[in-house]
């Protein structure tokens, strides 16, 4: 829902527009609403923050409309103010959250909002762009800063979910999941914690907690099987031995 679509509306019209848009999401079998509330990370100016795209009032209305329809709301936000407003709006998750700052990290923990840090996006830029270019160096610094935020988040008890932003430069579907888990480990999560971020925490965020993400009596058996030592898990994930989908082994 880009802001320019909403700008000419008064409060009542805005409410109607949000309601109509979200109603279409529901009837067209969408499961989530994603709101983009900030710009992208700068690859030229380290730590440059952009302004929120929506007023806090608009964000709150959008979240309320979505929740009334049973839809979760993820908010793309980088920088202190866009993330602060996203948290204030009552959203379900913050996507990216680069440069959100310590206070916002604490609030994610206190208010049990899931964070999807997508750290690998910056490593992928650093790897893919010309090695000594300014963009590559800023991307590397963005990554280091994000890893510091993840360290803090772990200490505060923030629920972190793996998400990749696959499709971004150098970020490929599937493989990027492994890369993101690796970075969570680099930032100090234990192996079990990182696996939970990629499975049960992500599933719960998507509202799939009763159908996926956790192996327990009564839930469908959907899992990968690898033959390796725990410390080699990430390597082995690229070549799983077995794949079981809802209780049925399929060819790998
Ligand atoms: Zn995004």
């Amino acid at each position: 829902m880009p802001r320019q679509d909403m700008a000419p509306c008064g409060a009542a019209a805005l409410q109607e527009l949000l309601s109509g848009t979200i109603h279409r999401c529901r009837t067209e079998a969408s499961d989530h609403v994603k709101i983009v509330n900030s710009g992208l990370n700068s690859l030229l100016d380290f730590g440059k923050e952009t302004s929120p795209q929506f007023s806090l009032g608009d964000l709150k209305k959008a979240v309320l409309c979505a929740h009334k329809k049973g839809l979760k709301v993820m908010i793309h936000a980088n920088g202190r103010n866009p993330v602060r407003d996203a948290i204030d709006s009552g959203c379900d998750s913050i996507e990216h959250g680069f440069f959100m700052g310590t206070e916002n990290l604490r609030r994610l923990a206190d208010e049990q909002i899931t964070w999807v840090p997508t750290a690998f996006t910056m490593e992928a830029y650093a790897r893919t762009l010309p090695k000594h270019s300014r963009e590559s160096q800023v991307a590397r610094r963005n990554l280091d800063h994000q890893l510091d935020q993840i360290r803090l988040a772990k200490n505060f008890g923030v629920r972190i979910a793996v998400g990749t932003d696959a499709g971004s430069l150098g970020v490929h579907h599937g493989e990027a999941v492994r890369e993101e888990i690796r970075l969570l480990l680099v930032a100090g999560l234990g192996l079990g914690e990182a696996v939970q971020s990629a499975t049960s925490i992500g599933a719960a965020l998507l509202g799939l907690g009763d159908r996926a993400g956790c192996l327990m009596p009564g839930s469908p058996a959907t899992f990968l099987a690898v033959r390796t030592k725990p410390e080699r898990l990430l390597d082995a994930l690229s070549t799983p031995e077995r794949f079981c989908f809802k209780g049925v082994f399929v060819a790998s």
Side-chain angles (χ1 to χ4, degrees):
M1 290 185 288
R3 185 174 199 169
Q4 57 267 31
D5 291 348
M6 298 183 172
C9 303
L14 172 65
Q15 187 80 25
E16 202 174 305
L17 176 62
L18 288 170
S19 193
T21 303
I22 290 168
H23 179 71
R24 281 202 306 282
C25 285
R26 186 80 277 180
T27 52
E28 289 165 12
S30 299
D31 298 315
H32 298 86
V33 173
K34 179 171 182 177
I35 298 174
V36 177
N37 195 39
S38 78
L40 304 171
N41 284 322
S42 173
L43 294 181
L44 293 174
D45 298 312
F46 173 72
K48 183 179 179 185
E49 299 183 17
T50 59
S51 302
Q53 295 214 81
F54 295 95
S55 70
L56 177 57
D58 287 355
L59 273 186
K60 283 183 172 175
K61 284 174 191 157
V63 171
L64 193 64
C65 282
H67 284 172
K68 276 186 185 166
K69 300 282 184 187
L71 295 166
K72 293 198 176 192
V73 180
M74 53 184 70
I75 298 189
H76 158 126
N78 295 309
R80 283 175 175 74
N81 293 339
V83 172
R84 180 203 61 214
D85 287 358
I87 293 171
D88 284 343
S89 76
C91 71
D92 299 282
S93 66
I94 299 292
E95 319 301 308
H96 319 303
F98 285 81
F99 305 106
M100 74 168 92
T102 306
E103 185 52 33
N104 281 325
L105 284 166
R106 268 189 219 285
R107 289 190 62 201
L108 291 183
D110 292 346
E111 297 173 37
Q112 302 197 353
I113 295 172
T114 303
W115 180 31
V116 186
T118 64
F120 181 62
T121 51
M122 289 299 130
E123 184 166 313
Y125 274 124
R127 283 186 198 172
T128 309
L129 294 170
K131 195 171 179 186
H132 298 294
S133 65
R134 180 167 176 173
E135 289 87 346
S136 170
Q137 290 170 358
V138 170
R140 179 67 59 182
R141 290 181 68 194
N142 289 346
L143 168 66
D144 291 343
H145 189 273
Q146 190 72 326
L147 294 180
D148 286 342
Q149 289 203 135
I150 295 171
R151 284 183 194 99
L152 272 178
K154 172 187 157 64
N155 292 338
F156 293 158
V158 177
R159 271 197 309 241
I160 297 172
V162 166
T164 63
D165 230 20
S168 181
L169 184 68
V171 182
H172 304 298
H173 287 278
E175 181 187 310
V177 171
R178 206 156 46 99
E179 299 282 14
E180 191 70 19
I181 295 172
R182 177 180 56 76
L183 289 174
L184 293 182
L185 296 174
V186 169
L189 269 70
L191 184 61
E193 291 173 314
V195 169
Q196 284 180 339
S197 291
T199 54
S200 57
I201 295 175
L205 174 60
L206 295 172
L208 302 173
D210 58 343
R211 283 174 280 160
C214 218
L215 284 177
M216 58 185 177
S219 70
T222 297
F223 58 91
L224 297 174
V226 296
R227 188 188 300 276
T228 190
K229 296 175 180 173
E231 59 271 23
R232 304 295 306 276
L233 176 64
L234 287 185
D235 295 329
L237 274 181
S238 61
T239 52
E241 259 190 42
R242 307 292 298 276
F243 176 54
C244 186
F245 181 69
K246 293 184 178 176
V248 179
F249 279 104
V250 295
S252 60

